[in-house]
Amino acid sequence: MRTRLMFATLVVVAAVAAVASAQRDTYDLVIVNARIVDGTGAPARAGTLGIRDGLIARIGGVTAAQGARVIDARGEVVAPGFVDVHTHADDLAERPDAANFIRMGVTTIVAGNCGSSALDLSEALQTITDAGPAVNYATLIGHNTVRAAVMGRAQRAPTVVEMQRMKSLVFKGMTEGAVGFSTGLQYIPGTYSTAHEIIELARVASNEGGLYATHMRNEGTALLDAVRESIQVGSMLRMPVQISHLKVDSPSRWGSSAEALALIDDARKRGVDVEADQYAYTAGSSSLSIRFPSWALEGTSIEVAARLNDPDTWARIKREIAQLLSDRGFTDLSWATVATYRANEAYNGLTMKAVAQEMFGRDGPDDQLEAARAVMLNGGASMVYHFMTEEDVERIMRHPMVGIASDAGVVPFGSGVPHPRGLGNTVRVLARYVRERKVISLEEAVRKMTSLPARQFGLADRGEIRVGAAADLVIFDPARVADTATFAAPHAYPVGISHVIVNGVSAVAEGQALGARSGQVVRRARKPTLAP
């Protein structure tokens, strides 16, 4: 009897073990016939992947029979989902499908860049969570937002009390989940701040384990001074620094990217953790207001309009704009194209030279400035600026500590004539700079779009294909992947991306967006400290 009981017990134990083993050997999704580029820069290798509970559970040794769902990669590249750490998708809750990012293979984005973020991050992150985003979302706390909340658009140094209030807001943002502190030092009111102010506020983020991301004070005529100022923050506070959209935006300074990169290399040798990102185009995008002297934009919109309408003040503004253009190597604004002008959408896609012709029947340099004034008085416009050279773009891209980021928001498909980077940035790198121009290797391009930015921003478990990491993946054909969005016709999705997976859920299958909402809000793990 006892022998039979022991035998029965063993049979039950064996059965339970078999069930457990079977459960361990089955997966929610299996990817077979993959060419794995894991995001670390290591050479591509053939393999299979098993995904369970939104995580990568196994690499290699997996068969199609073990998957509830199966994707046959047919020899295409399987890479970590792209991590875009410089976006302006702060309105993700309003457009949670984020189709332009998903269709580019981007599975994680960072917003709050260039000093502009939500002020109440707790509320903003909850709203995004409730909306159910298609992509993972992290944010920085923005200096311009904090400064405006405390000081408005005042062109002066903060008082002791105002500085303390700003520090408290940065601290609050960090405790609510920000991954760091951002500045936009070419924008109002951030441009009115001193290096001392930036360092004191960045110190708060540093104490919480965050990084400093900066749209520098100058990206052309004083590029090197701006890079030094950025590095100084990291050096003094021993915190990671991310130089946003590194570029040379002035023809008079084209080629100085070599010196800027040398400054970064020197700082890294001294132990400063400084990196950068770039987008893969020779044109940028920003507001029209950035072309105006900062003093002219201080205060309320009524005060700004009064300056633009005062003949003597406007004459001074025009002289300063003309001098700034000359210093940068320009003679007029013909290199500036309207992306979105709500007051008159017929101007979208036109250069300021063409806008002047439409407005006045003349298109000389002074006429273009008068057209810019008229646009500013009617709400302003977002612009596309053709002001870079391919030589600098490629030199910056070759640098191992420069990642790829779009500097784009969630693009409403069909609206305006925006910069094509919002629908093509990542795939343009793979098509133009890897396959066609061979500026960098495929493995290096993937690293620059995955593990490099993910590690710098503290996005744990993103950016690599490894067991235990989030199952954020993109599958593409390296021989066919290409951007189709152009400056003239930017509303076009890329080709060659067959599948995109976010936290184990298919967002794109066979090249078609599925409308899945499996993204998550991602917060940086913080270390406890005292409030400022």
Side-chain angles (χ1 to χ4, degrees), residues 35-40 45 48-49 56 58-59 78-81 450 462-470 472-474:
R35 181 184 169 192
I36 298 173
V37 177
D38 66 11
T40 67
R45 65 186 189 276
T48 56
L49 296 173
I56 298 171
R58 186 165 181 175
I59 302 173
V78 179
T450 56
R462 312 277 168 183
E464 290 185 30
I465 294 179
R466 55 179 168 77
V467 172
D472 297 339
L473 302 166
V474 56

Side-chain angles (χ1 to χ4, degrees), residues 244-475:
S244 300
H245 42 60
L246 183 60
K247 65 172 78 70
V248 184
D249 68 8
S250 301
S252 62
R253 299 295 189 275
W254 283 351
S256 59
S257 58
E259 295 170 88
L261 293 169
L263 289 174
I264 291 173
D265 288 337
D266 180 66
R268 291 187 63 82
K269 290 176 183 177
R270 292 185 280 110
V272 183
D273 184 5
V274 55
E275 297 182 10
D277 56 66
Q278 70 171 149
Y279 43 83
Y281 298 82
T282 56
S285 182
S286 187
S287 64
L288 178 61
S289 63
I290 202 171
R291 305 276 71 89
F292 284 66
S294 61
W295 63 264
L297 304 176
E298 181 186 10
T300 66
S301 58
I302 294 175
E303 292 171 320
V304 173
R307 295 186 192 104
L308 295 176
N309 282 319
D310 178 77
D312 291 338
T313 307
W314 171 236
R316 176 189 169 190
I317 292 170
K318 278 204 299 185
R319 286 195 301 272
E320 292 193 18
I321 294 175
Q323 186 60 56
L324 290 169
L325 292 175
S326 177
D327 290 345
R328 297 179 65 180
F330 295 112
T331 58
D332 61 10
L333 284 171
S334 59
W335 49 281
T337 301
V338 177
T340 304
Y341 179 45
R342 290 184 173 84
N344 189 341
E345 294 184 357
Y347 293 164
N348 292 346
L350 299 184
T351 66
M352 286 307 299
K353 183 173 183 177
V355 171
Q357 183 66 40
E358 290 288 320
M359 283 187 175
F360 313 121
R362 307 179 305 275
D363 62 8
D366 189 72
D367 303 310
Q368 294 172 40
L369 294 182
E370 291 294 339
R373 170 181 172 273
V375 170
M376 286 290 291
L377 286 170
N378 284 279
S382 62
M383 308 292 293
V384 172
Y385 293 119
H386 295 269
F387 51 18
M388 294 143 64
T389 179
E390 187 69 45
E391 178 186 2
D392 283 319
V393 171
E394 293 190 3
R395 180 183 291 117
I396 292 169
M397 191 172 292
R398 289 189 186 97
H399 194 280
M401 304 313 293
V402 177
I404 305 297
S406 69
D407 196 12
V410 180
V411 177
F413 197 86
S415 177
V417 190
H419 196 301
R421 66 194 182 190
L423 292 100
N425 189 57
T426 56
V427 286
R428 182 174 173 84
V429 172
L430 297 170
R432 179 177 177 82
Y433 294 100
V434 172
R435 186 176 65 236
E436 297 170 11
R437 298 182 68 86
K438 295 178 174 52
V439 174
I440 53 176
S441 69
L442 173 64
E443 290 84 356
E444 177 68 353
V446 170
R447 184 186 72 87
K448 284 171 168 284
M449 295 191 286
T450 56
S451 68
L452 180 67
R455 289 178 182 178
Q456 184 73 345
F457 279 71
L459 305 177
D461 301 327
R462 312 277 168 183
E464 290 185 30
I465 294 179
R466 55 179 168 77
V467 172
D472 297 339
L473 302 166
V474 56
I475 304 176

